[in-house]
């Protein structure tokens, strides 16, 4: 039985997903190429050791056909584009479109004009209104679960927004990511910690010309709890992994995360 044949599957949602996926693939040479050119030559960003990051991502994808959910820390509006660029170049995404993660941007940030709405439509975005109606949030989560059942990849920011402290915070873990992981017993979670070397706190964009460090860790969260408690437990496991990766990031740069945060607060 395929995902599309599952009892209870929302046929309208399935058709919307298939339509958006097709449009995104057809428009890929334009929006993927333009995105990379802007990041590389307009903003002059650089991913440190990018070939190693890409090789690791491909190896993780090749290890299993099971669902994989990408969960990352969140500091800027363009994190999803930067993570996609870190995972692969334009040629790879055009030939492996289903490995290019879908993502769930905040609707109020990108849905103000029809041009913005069109751009995020072709760029594999499923807008979500954080704190919005439970039914609307539930529809987005159901769609993410559906695309993972199809073997596609999704990117979620488990803190449900850009960190106002500039640091990963366990208290900000949103239960929605736990609900998605809990729906797939064999789901792997690829945790991504990304930070520009000039990035001191949250913002709209990394500093122009910045170099971004990217680290990856694949985990399989488990929980014996039930219901909402289970979702929260799974989400907190993911956020704690990101906190550990953040500590390792600052340790590698010769400072502790707490000391760096205290220095920025002064």
């Amino acid at each position: 039985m395929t995902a599309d044949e599952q009892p209870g599957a929302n046929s309208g949602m399935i058709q919307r997903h298939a339509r958006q996926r097709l449009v995104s693939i057809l428009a890929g040479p334009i929006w993927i190429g333009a995105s990379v050119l802007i990041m590389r030559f307009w903003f002059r960003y650089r991913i440190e050791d990018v070939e190693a990051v890409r090789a690791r991502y491909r190896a993780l994808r090749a290890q299993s056909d099971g669902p994989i959910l990408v969960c990352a820390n969140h500091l800027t509006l363009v994190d999803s584009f930067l993570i996609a660029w870190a995972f692969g170049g334009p040629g790879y995404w055009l030939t492996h479109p289903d490995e290019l993660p879908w993502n769930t941007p905040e609707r109020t940030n990108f849905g103000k004009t029809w041009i913005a709405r069109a751009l995020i439509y072709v760029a594999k975005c499923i807008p979500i209104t954080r704190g919005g109606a439970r039914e609307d949030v539930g529809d987005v989560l159901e769609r993410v679960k559906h695309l993972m059942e199809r073997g596609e990849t999704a990117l979620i920011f488990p803190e449900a927004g850009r960190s106002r402290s500039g640091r990963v915070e366990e208290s900000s873990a949103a239960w929605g990511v736990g609900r998605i992981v809990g729906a797939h017993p064999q789901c792997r979670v690829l945790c991504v910690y990304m930070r520009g070397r000039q990035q001191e706190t949250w913002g709209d964009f990394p500093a122009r010309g910045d170099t971004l460090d990217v680290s990856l860790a694949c985990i399989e969260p488990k929980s014996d709890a039930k219901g909402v408690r289970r979702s929260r437990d799974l989400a907190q496991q993911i956020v704690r992994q990101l906190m550990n990766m953040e500590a390792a990031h600052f340790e590698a740069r010769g400072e502790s995360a707490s000391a760096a945060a205290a220095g920025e607060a002064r």
Side-chain angles (χ1 to χ4, degrees):
M1 180 182 292
T2 67
D4 294 357
E5 295 169 335
Q6 289 180 350
N10 185 312
S11 60
M13 178 269 288
I14 291 172
Q15 291 175 6
R16 289 199 306 275
H17 179 75
R19 187 164 51 245
Q20 185 176 357
R21 175 179 174 274
L22 177 61
V23 171
S24 177
I25 291 174
L26 293 176
I30 299 174
W31 75 267
I32 293 175
S35 299
V36 172
L37 288 173
I38 290 171
M39 289 187 288
R40 180 71 182 85
F41 296 105
W42 176 255
F43 286 107
R44 294 182 284 107
Y45 296 144
R46 190 176 75 85
I47 306 293
E48 179 70 13
D49 210 3
V50 66
E51 291 305 324
V53 175
R54 291 174 178 177
R56 180 88 190 281
Y57 178 68
R58 294 172 191 177
L60 288 170
R61 289 283 316 187
Q63 286 176 359
S64 170
D65 293 330
I68 185 167
L69 181 67
V70 181
C71 292
N73 66 313
H74 196 16
L75 293 173
T76 77
L77 287 174
V78 294
D79 284 347
S80 57
F81 287 92
L82 291 165
I83 289 171
W85 188 32
F87 284 178
Y92 185 77
W93 293 132
L94 292 176
T95 54
H96 301 78
D98 285 337
E99 294 186 17
L100 176 60
W102 292 79
N103 65 91
T104 56
E106 167 60 50
R107 189 186 304 275
T108 56
N109 289 334
F110 295 96
K112 296 177 181 177
T113 67
W114 71 266
I115 293 179
R117 291 193 291 273
L119 288 175
I120 63 172
Y121 183 85
V122 300
K124 302 186 71 169
C125 295
I126 308 170
I128 188 171
T129 303
R130 312 205 190 281
R134 177 172 297 186
E135 293 77 10
D136 294 339
V137 175
D139 285 346
V140 172
L141 297 180
E142 287 302 313
R143 185 167 170 190
V144 172
K145 289 161 57 178
H146 167 70
L147 67 89
M148 290 180 63
E149 288 161 358
R150 286 178 40 84
E152 300 179 57
T153 306
L155 165 62
I156 296 284
F157 298 109
E159 296 177 276
R162 288 171 285 170
S163 170
R164 271 25 184 187
S165 68
R167 296 292 183 272
V168 180
E169 297 181 352
E170 185 174 354
S171 60
S172 63
W175 62 271
V177 66
R179 177 173 160 185
I180 295 170
V181 173
H184 301 283
Q186 304 304 319
C187 179
R188 294 179 297 161
V189 175
L190 177 56
C191 295
V192 180
Y193 188 81
M194 181 180 68
R195 192 179 195 98
R197 293 182 179 176
Q198 300 179 51
Q199 188 82 40
E200 295 184 350
T201 184
W202 69 287
D204 289 346
F205 303 94
R208 185 171 288 194
D210 204 357
T211 295
L212 296 107
D213 294 307
V214 179
S215 59
L216 311 179
C218 195
I219 64 174
E220 295 186 28
K222 305 293 183 187
S223 176
D224 294 327
K226 304 293 182 183
V228 174
R229 287 186 177 181
R230 182 166 185 258
S231 297
R232 288 176 177 164
D233 184 19
L234 294 170
Q236 287 174 337
Q237 291 179 43
I238 295 168
V239 172
R240 283 196 289 269
Q241 176 62 45
L242 291 173
M243 293 173 68
N244 292 337
M245 296 168 74
E246 182 172 72
H249 168 83
F250 283 108
E251 184 177 353
R253 293 175 59 81
E255 54 184 327
S256 69
S258 57
E264 289 163 12
R266 286 196 293 267

